[in-house]
Amino acid sequence: MASEDIKADFFQYLAPTSPHPLAIEVDRAEGIYIWDRAGKRYTDLVAGIAVCNLGHRHPRVIEAIKQQLDAYLHVMPYGEFIQGPQVALAKRLSELLPAGLDSCYFVNSGAESIEAAMKLAKRSTGRSNFVACKRSYHGSTHGALSVTGNENKKFHVRPLLPGVKFMDFNVVKDFELIDRNTAAVIIEPIQGDAGVRIPDSEYLKMLRMRCDEVGALLIFDEIQTGMGRTGTLFAFMQYGLVPDILCTAKALGGGMPIGAFVSSRERMQLFTHDPMLGHITTFGGHPVNCAAALATLNTLIDEKIIDEVEEKGRLFEEQLKHPAIKELRRKGLMMAVEFESPEVVQRVVQGCLEKGIITFWFLSDPKSFRLQPPLTISKNQIQESCEVIMDVIKGFDFR
Ligand code: PLP
């Protein structure tokens, strides 16, 4: 089919999410690159929004998918049959996580893991209130949206869940909102779509203490920060505490759709009675996606990819210096580059795209653009990418 026809059909038949999609017509993708049908090569510095941490089509992930395709696809909804890839992935994840995070429930997406974690917290505590953070993003379904701190995304679909309070991120005084009616506090340990907001070193530990004091659970949304993105397998590992429930998705599947929430075996048992089948999903833990996720996890660990994340992040930081850049916030390879206005961001993102570099916006921070490249990006590729970004920035008159 001719390129113009596909483009026309894209706008005609696919439900849109914005009036101005990037509309790159993807031909193929490999490593950190995506090629469009005209043969233009793009360097992907957002990794499909923190999904392709191993780059596109990592050979070990592709091989695992192929092997599973030849064995079986969907055979039964989650939880009934014993499926090797699910079991192996759950075991490996549990081995890599601290005590208390030893039982994995696989779902299909980030939002779904949040929904289920919220149900588990209600079941676990007998309470129904939640405390979340302003400017957070936890997903677009009703429950996840209820704990999302971005009014722009919510006002048109109210009523949402009652009993949700919002505290400022990284402000200890707001812990007074967490009380004996709180089922759980749900928080991104580093806020992603708020524009990469990094808490003070003691903040999360103090939050853990406050939750323990009032008997509320602590849910970490590591959907964006997980799978090595910030320099450790999960970001919480740098802060000296353990959440009660961990939500992951995005990069977990190495490019395939899978999410998980992880907690203790005792807590997870709650879904098995009163009522039985207390949380169910048909496709959760699809065997092909679990095989891809296991290969992703093993590759990240075996090839010591996470060990280099901080150094690579520093390379970006050292090279992206210009008076127009007001701030660069970063943890590992999770970065936000801030300018004085959304208009400047718009021009820089567009300018980079024209020169074959994909960057992207944040949902709740219009003055910054995101850089979240595949963790496999080489030092040379970082150098080359930064040179292009700097050329774009230097090309503007910021007066
Ligand atoms: N939580 C965080 C921190 C996210 O960044 C996202 C997606 O961007 C979600 C939840 C929702 O994940 P999904 O789009 O897979 O439902």
Side-chain angles (χ1 to χ4, degrees), residues 34-292:
I34 297 174
W35 285 264
D36 72 9
R37 281 201 53 208
K40 179 170 174 179
R41 191 187 79 175
Y42 293 88
T43 302
D44 181 4
L45 294 188
V46 296
I49 313 295
V51 168
C52 310
N53 283 10
L54 288 180
H56 297 278
R57 299 187 72 255
H58 191 283
R60 285 179 67 175
V61 177
I62 297 295
E63 184 50 36
I65 292 172
K66 283 184 176 164
Q67 276 189 19
Q68 187 55 39
L69 287 180
D70 286 339
Y72 55 92
L73 303 181
H74 175 82
V75 284
M76 196 60 178
Y78 174 84
E80 287 298 328
F81 289 179
I82 300 171
Q83 302 182 43
Q86 279 180 354
V87 177
L89 175 61
K91 185 172 178 200
R92 188 76 181 111
L93 260 176
S94 303
E95 284 167 357
L96 292 165
L97 289 168
L101 296 176
D102 48 15
S103 180
C104 304
Y105 191 125
F106 296 118
V107 291
N108 305 281
S109 68
E112 210 183 314
S113 75
I114 298 291
E115 297 286 339
M118 290 171 71
K119 281 174 70 179
L120 188 60
K122 284 166 125 178
R123 290 290 307 266
S124 200
T125 58
R127 306 172 183 179
S128 58
N129 290 357
F130 289 91
V131 174
C133 282
K134 293 177 189 164
R135 301 177 81 192
S136 60
Y137 180 69
H138 296 294
S140 276
T141 52
H142 272 72
L145 210 49
S146 299
V147 290
T148 286
N150 179 339
E151 190 50 33
N152 230 348
K153 297 263 172 293
K154 303 202 293 186
F155 70 92
H156 53 309
V157 292
R158 290 194 183 283
L160 290 165
L161 282 182
V164 183
K165 292 180 193 156
F166 289 92
M167 55 183 188
D168 274 317
F169 184 75
N170 203 25
V171 173
V172 172
K173 189 184 164 300
D174 281 9
F175 289 172
E176 64 196 28
L177 296 174
I178 307 164
D179 59 27
R180 293 189 185 279
N181 295 317
T182 308
V185 174
I186 177 158
I187 188 168
E188 302 156 82
I190 293 165
Q191 284 195 311
D193 272 294
V196 184
R197 305 289 159 177
I198 300 158
D200 297 337
S201 62
E202 293 303 298
Y203 172 74
L204 293 172
K205 257 197 238 168
M206 289 166 80
L207 178 59
R208 171 77 273 180
M209 280 160 62
R210 177 63 184 163
C211 287
D212 290 344
E213 204 174 291
V214 298
L217 299 191
L218 182 56
I219 302 173
F220 274 1
D221 175 345
E222 292 239 27
I223 290 159
Q224 200 169 137
T225 50
M227 300 300 281
R229 172 59 52 195
T230 69
T232 44
L233 184 59
F234 290 97
F236 79 83
M237 293 168 166
Q238 297 176 50
Y239 289 95
L241 79 157
V242 180
D244 298 298
I245 307 177
L246 175 71
C247 293
T248 172
K250 282 195 182 277
L252 177 63
M256 297 296 276
I258 182 169
F261 60 105
V262 188
S263 192
S264 68
R265 282 198 62 227
E266 299 70 41
R267 189 169 293 117
M268 289 293 203
Q269 294 291 329
L270 292 167
F271 282 144
T272 64
H273 57 276
D274 285 337
M276 194 176 86
L277 304 175
H279 190 76
I280 46 176
T281 159
T282 298
F283 284 126
H286 191 284
V288 175
N289 302 347
C290 284

